[in-house]
Amino acid sequence: MSAVIIFLFFGIAVNFVVAANSHIYSGYSVHGVQLRHRLDQIVLYNLQTDLNVDLWGHGAPEIRDAFIMLSPENRMEVLDILDSNGMKHYLHIADVAKSLKKHEADLSSWHHGRQNLEPYETYARHAEINAYMERIAIQYPNIAKLVTIGESFEGRDVKYLKISTSNFANTSKPIYFMDATMHAREWITTPTTLYSIHRLVEDLREEDKDLLEDVDWIILPVVNPDGYEFSHTENRLWRGTRSVNETTNELTNTSCVGVDPNRNFDVNFNTLGVSSNPCSQIYPGHEPFSEVETRYVRDILLEHIDRIQIYMDIHSYGSYVLYGLDNATLPANAVHQHHVGAAMGANIDTAKLPNADFYAVGNSNLMLYGTSGAASDYAHVVGVPMSYTLELPDYEYGFDMPPQYIEQVNMETWKGIAITGRLAALYYNARVRS
Ligand SMILES: *[C@@H]1O[C@H](CO)[C@@H](O)[C@H](O)[C@H]1NC(C)=O
Ligand SMILES: *[C@@H]1O[C@H](CO)[C@@H](O)[C@H](O)[C@H]1NC(C)=O
Ligand SMILES: *[C@@H]1O[C@H](CO)[C@@H](O)[C@H](O)[C@H]1NC(C)=O
Ligand SMILES: *[C@@H]1O[C@H](CO)[C@@H](O)[C@H](O)[C@H]1NC(C)=O
């Protein structure tokens, strides 16, 4: 035991191993698609459900292009459909396998000569992320408590930190609940949560003291550890969980694995933006909360529902702050949610890279498209006043953003988290809880 603690206190050397089989994407390409209006978005969503097109970036009409990944099998047919709808498109990545190889080289060189990378400075493995949270809890016992909520489908410990000056006993404070990596391949999302832990606990600055004094924090850096590890070791572009259901496979004569966790929550389940094909990236599962990982998010929400003022579900990519509902019905407090979401987007914009997109803020359905079973909708419907899906930037790299951008994304996203933390306290104390 003492050996373990010594190891923890002397820092966690993040150990990088790459083996992500990039060759499985040999011949795959990514195309930008210009969107003129909502009908163009609908064409893309139908391609997603009908031809299994992998939608990388949603795009928004006249704001930014969508990005789709095509396989050698579906490419001709999909491009023909775009052409026949008069939709302009262009080649963005000619060979996905090659760009993933480049990504692996980027990661190796990032680690080369950097012995003491912290888990928020790289794309750390799940065990390293858990070890970081353990170290924080051991070193700062008065502020940070580590909770193991249970095991993932494949048996990994799902852990989160509770950060509070009063061990969550002062109920006059709001709770801010953030989570990340619900979708496995969205690697940039986890560093922003770890960096938030770092800024609240290890590097609390004078100007941020109110955030620790006035707000309690729940930070769950990896919702979907099985998918995340699979995206490190087997398939960089894996999105869903890794659960196996033999009955479904027999019934559908498939051997597919996993469901889309962000379609698996119990809100308008299996109605919009889903596919009944268990092999699809947007298969919602056979029933709400079929996935143990989404049940954990549900359980955290319900345990603290009286005090969670903001739920921030962090995804990538596209630079959006989105609120519900996903079926285009605006919540009663939509004006407040918009106000807080816009403050987040604008604050991030003040620190963005010159060439990066400005954040776009709005209702998820009206901005992007209809979905169902999403975590942020579920949180709002069960009583979290302000519930968002945050889509981080990608700087046109897609999911395989080089690690030298992590620091920038952490820093700018923290600005958005800080302002929304302050607004959470303000709204909570004014009893704006509808
Ligand atoms: C509870 O938190 C609020 C907000 O930070 C603070 O004003 C109050 O003094 C705290 N109460 C106790 C008993 O510490
Ligand atoms: C697998 O899916 C079927 C429906 O296809 C469902 O009835 C069954 O309960 C599921 N099994 C498990 C273990 O979740
Ligand atoms: C099931 O799939 C296999 C291989 O894909 C195929 O050979 C077989 O005919 C299918 N069976 C049914 C009942 O569709
Ligand atoms: C949208 O979803 C909410 C929550 O389930 C529901 O109350 C509302 O009636 C739905 N709106 C439409 C247009 O279906």
Side-chain angles (χ1 to χ4, degrees):
M1 190 61 206
S2 62
V4 173
I5 291 172
I6 288 164
F7 165 71
L8 292 174
F9 276 111
F10 280 89
I12 298 138
V14 174
N15 212 342
F16 200 76
V17 191
V18 182
N21 295 331
S22 46
H23 66 270
I24 55 184
Y25 290 100
S26 171
Y28 283 62
S29 52
V30 175
H31 302 254
V33 183
Q34 289 177 14
L35 302 172
R36 296 160 300 180
H37 40 57
R38 190 147 187 92
L39 290 178
D40 288 347
Q41 289 175 293
I42 292 168
V43 170
L44 285 191
Y45 303 126
N46 291 340
L47 289 173
Q48 213 185 353
T49 43
D50 301 346
L51 291 179
N52 245 332
V53 167
D54 187 345
L55 187 70
W56 277 29
H58 308 284
E62 302 200 30
I63 296 180
R64 63 194 60 144
D65 297 343
F67 290 93
I68 55 178
M69 181 170 74
L70 302 181
S71 66
E73 290 74 38
N74 68 15
R75 184 180 302 116
M76 291 304 281
E77 189 176 359
V78 171
L79 294 180
D80 280 350
I81 291 171
L82 295 179
D83 288 338
S84 65
N85 283 282
M87 294 166 70
K88 293 215 173 81
H89 56 84
Y90 53 90
L91 190 62
H92 178 60
I93 298 173
D95 181 0
V96 174
K98 219 186 223 168
S99 82
L100 292 178
K101 273 251 169 291
K102 165 84 171 56
H103 179 52
E104 291 172 17
D106 287 345
L107 297 175
S108 304
S109 66
W110 183 245
H111 279 257
H112 186 75
R114 286 186 181 82
Q115 300 306 323
N116 294 313
L117 279 175
E118 295 287 350
Y120 52 81
E121 296 170 324
T122 184
Y123 300 122
R125 298 294 292 271
H126 186 245
E128 294 161 341
I129 292 161
N130 278 353
Y132 175 72
M133 290 197 288
E134 277 157 26
R135 177 171 74 72
I136 293 287
I138 290 170
Q139 268 187 297
Y140 302 90
N142 297 330
I143 304 174
K145 289 261 176 309
L146 185 64
V147 181
T148 303
I149 190 162
E151 291 183 353
S152 65
F153 182 85
E154 291 179 344
R156 295 184 176 86
D157 279 343
V158 179
K159 292 177 190 274
Y160 63 89
L161 274 180
K162 290 165 80 176
I163 297 172
S164 169
T165 55
S166 68
N167 195 20
F168 274 58
N170 183 342
T171 56
S172 67
K173 299 183 193 188
I175 294 171
Y176 192 122
F177 174 21
M178 73 172 93
D179 66 27
T181 303
M182 187 174 290
H183 288 144
R185 63 192 180 183
E186 298 171 5
W187 284 8
I188 186 59
T189 64
T190 287
T192 63
T193 61
L194 299 176
Y195 184 72
S196 298
I197 294 169
H198 172 68
R199 288 294 298 266
L200 286 166
V201 179
E202 291 184 296
D203 183 22
L204 184 69
R205 300 180 191 176
E206 195 56 40
E207 71 268 22
D208 288 338
K209 289 210 157 129
D210 58 324
L211 293 173
L212 187 61
E213 275 308 315
D214 301 343
V215 181
D216 284 347
W217 299 81
I218 294 176
I219 303 182
L220 168 57
V222 182
V223 173
N224 173 14
D226 298 346
Y228 183 62
E229 282 296 298
F230 192 76
S231 73
H232 275 273
T233 59
E234 304 292 334
N235 179 344
R236 176 65 186 87
L237 296 173
W238 189 259
R239 169 179 163 102
T241 59
R242 295 291 304 161
S243 63
V244 179
N245 183 318
E246 299 295 352
T247 314
T248 303
N249 282 342
E250 269 167 40
L251 286 172
T252 56
N253 194 27
T254 57
S255 56
C256 286
V257 173
V259 318
D260 183 342
N262 209 26
R263 302 287 183 278
N264 189 243
F265 285 73
D266 190 9
V267 54
N268 301 330
F269 181 77
N270 195 20
T271 54
L272 274 175
V274 289
S275 165
S276 56
N277 176 359
C279 301
S280 162
Q281 302 257 34
I282 50 172
Y283 173 63
H286 72 273
E287 64 182 10
F289 295 121
S290 61
E291 306 308 285
V292 67
E293 296 85 2
T294 59
R295 296 200 292 273
Y296 293 151
V297 174
R298 172 196 66 190
D299 292 349
I300 295 169
L301 287 165
L302 296 182
E303 182 183 346
H304 299 283
I305 199 66
D306 294 342
R307 283 212 287 138
I308 299 176
Q309 180 71 24
I310 293 192
Y311 172 56
M312 190 64 61
D313 182 28
I314 307 178
H315 288 254
S316 75
Y317 56 85
S319 303
Y320 299 101
V321 185
L322 304 167
Y323 54 87
L325 295 173
D326 293 333
N327 62 5
T329 296
L330 286 176
N333 69 345
V335 171
H336 289 314
Q337 290 208 62
H338 191 90
H339 182 72
V340 171
M344 178 170 221
N347 250 41
I348 298 175
D349 286 343
T350 63
K352 76 179 189 64
L353 292 178
N355 297 332
D357 287 327
F358 285 91
Y359 262 80
V361 182
N363 171 271
S364 55
N365 183 305
L366 301 173
M367 296 281 300
L368 306 181
Y369 63 111
T371 60
S372 54
S376 66
D377 260 14
Y378 176 78
H380 184 72
V381 166
V382 297
V384 175
M386 294 168 174
S387 189
Y388 299 97
T389 303
L390 179 67
E391 297 275 1
L392 298 177
D394 79 308
Y395 311 124
E396 303 208 340
Y397 288 101
F399 302 106
D400 43 341
M401 183 195 290
Q404 48 266 40
Y405 288 98
I406 294 174
E407 185 182 3
Q408 167 67 29
V409 178
N410 284 346
M411 180 274 292
E412 66 177 46
T413 307
W414 173 250
K415 286 188 180 292
I417 290 167
I419 185 74
T420 49
R422 284 189 182 102
L423 290 170
L426 189 66
Y427 277 78
Y428 185 77
N429 288 318
R431 307 261 169 267
V432 182
R433 294 271 293 154
S434 58

